[in-house]
Every structure is written in C-alpha cells, then in structure tokens.
Amino acid sequence: MSGRSVLVVAHTGRPEAVRSAALVVERLSRAGIEVRVLDEEAPDLHCSGVQVVPASAAAAEDAELVMVLGGDGTILRAADLARLSGTPMLGVNLGHVGFLAEAERDDLTSTVDRVVERRYHVEERMTIDVVVRRDGEIAATTWALNEATVEKAERERMLEVVVEIDGRPLSHWGCDGVVCATPTGSTAYAFSAGGPVVWPEVEAMLVVPISAHALFARPLAVSPRSVVAIEVLPDTPRAVLWCDGRRTVGLPPGARVEVRRGAIPVKLARLHRTPFTDRLVTKFGLPVTGWRGRARPGADDAGRPAGG
C-alpha cells in the first residue's frame, strides 16, 4: 500500500452509484490506495478488500479525499463526515443539476485516474454556524454549507418573524420562511426563493425571504462578518430550522436563530479550473448563441478589422 487512503461515499439507493463505487474501489485498490467505505453502506456496495468504518466524523480522518458518488444531497451528507477533519470532497454527479459535484458520470474513469495521479487542486468554501436560543439560553448549535432556513411548520398559517442584522432590527415579515445562505448555497434553496447567484469567491451571506407579505422583502447580501438573527414572534405558529435540508431543530414561538460565518470551512477538490460562469451555463443550459467574445487584436470596438 502507498499509505494513501480515500473514503468512498455513495448513494446506495441508486444502482448506478453502486456500480460506480465498485469501479472506483477496483481502480484505487489496483493503484495501491486504501479504500474506506461506511458501515451503513458496505452491505449494499459488496466491495471486497476495503476498510469498513463507522459513519462518523472520524471516517475521513487522515484520508486524502472523500469521493462522493451521487447528487448534491449525497455531497451534503458527506460534508458532515469531512468538515471537521478538513478532508477535501470530490463529487461525481449521478443526480440532476449537481452544482457541488466536480465530475460527471461519463468521466468516472478519468476522474479516478486524476485522483491516483494527484492531479487536482483544493478550494475552501465558506460555511455558516447557527445558534438557536430559547428564553435567552442556547438550545442548539449546528452548521450549514448551503443554507439555514427558518420555515413555518404549519401550512395554513404564515410565520411572523423579525429579522435583525448586526444587532439592529431590519424588518418584520409575515412569510413562509427566511433563507440564510452562503455563496455556495446561492444556487440551491436561495435561488429557488428568488435570491441572486453569487460567485463562490465572493464572501457574503444572503438573506432571502420566502413569499413575504411586506413592502420591503428583497433578497439581501450582507458582510461575512455580520450576524443575522431571525426571531420567531410570540404569537406566531411554531417554526422549524432546517440546515442543508438535513439537520432540523424545532422552533417554538419566541425562539431566536443566530447565523454567522462558520469557523470551519468545507474543502472541495477540483479537477479543472473552469470559470464559474461556464459552470452556470452548463448546469442551467443557458443560451449563449451570438456571443462573439473579446475583440481580436487590431479590431475596432465592433470586432471589425481596423484600418484599410
């Protein structure tokens, strides 16, 4: 063995992910790289010669990478395992849009080869830390890579909240909820709620109201040093906090949710230095017909050859 180790996480509910995991395990093992799989996934993967580890934060300790086979939901699940150890994640998209994934299913073989050859680079993504207070006392703490969302728990009634930025009240909203998102999460729930797309290298937090009945209810981009607080008013129905669509905390009337920049980022492994603009065009199938690009040297502003 080379002393290298890779944790493989797969969406075992998809036959394609199981087949892909077998290919990844075989090629990594052949290259002398130790492969780990989670104990809760091992029975479905049927891979021999792997190290089976508990599905905890310790699973990725001292690993070189976490290879994730699935969609964005699977990558968010893997982030729970990889964040504390600082292990980069490399996602292979077997889902739909797959914004967090770096490779597509058709590139799986070449993706494994690049891992074997260490031909990848690592970037950090901002996270958010979330504190829930009840009667002034801390009731829960959690985190998110994409977003933390305060939502109504009863469909028939609006949620009444007051939003605070840096210790000052901003507005009272009657709404279905409020999304607090990172730039990474700007293409997820915040995007569906009408928020802007934010380039990953921009450091900011987004505050996006969901179906708010208010004159001022626009999406906001605030400083990454800001603290955003959402107070559930006493006379409102109960609410619920969702983080990355995975972790949930019940919010009784009067609860307060505080969101700030996370102390620990998430690391993503990248195979290509593709501009984010190109990723948007590819993922959303955006029309770019008619684009002529930068004018050629010696051309005028309209792109025509100069002189003559």
Side-chain angles (χ1 to χ4, degrees), residues 135 232-239 251-255:
D135 299 322
V232 181
L233 296 185
D235 296 328
T236 196
R238 61 189 178 89
L251 301 174

Side-chain angles (χ1 to χ4, degrees), residues 29-75:
S29 298
R30 191 195 310 164
I33 298 175
E34 178 188 71
V35 179
R36 306 176 191 175
V37 299
L38 302 177
D39 54 1
E40 60 189 21
E41 297 178 0
D44 295 317
L45 294 178
H46 305 295
C47 294
S48 60
V50 298
Q51 180 186 6
V52 178
V53 296
S56 69
E61 285 184 359
D62 301 321
E64 179 180 328
L65 279 178
V66 179
M67 284 196 67
V68 188
L69 309 171
D72 281 349
T74 310
I75 295 176

Side-chain angles (χ1 to χ4, degrees), residues 151-154 157-159 232-233 236-240 250-253:
E151 302 179 25
K152 64 181 184 180
E154 299 177 13
R157 295 182 61 189
M158 283 195 308
L159 186 64
V232 181
L233 296 185
T236 196
R238 61 189 178 89
V240 62
L251 301 174

Side-chain angles (χ1 to χ4, degrees), residues 146-213:
N146 271 356
E147 74 277 311
T149 308
V150 175
E151 302 179 25
K152 64 181 184 180
E154 299 177 13
R155 182 177 181 182
E156 64 275 11
R157 295 182 61 189
M158 283 195 308
L159 186 64
E160 300 287 338
V161 300
V162 170
V163 175
E164 168 192 302
I165 309 291
D166 294 329
R168 302 302 302 161
L170 175 73
S171 187
H172 171 175
W173 289 331
C175 57
D176 286 350
V178 181
V179 181
C180 293
T182 66
T184 299
S186 70
T187 52
Y189 196 173
F191 178 82
S192 299
V197 173
V198 179
W199 266 236
E201 61 267 25
V202 175
E203 295 194 337
M205 281 196 299
L206 301 182
V207 181
V208 184
I210 306 172
S211 302
H213 291 257

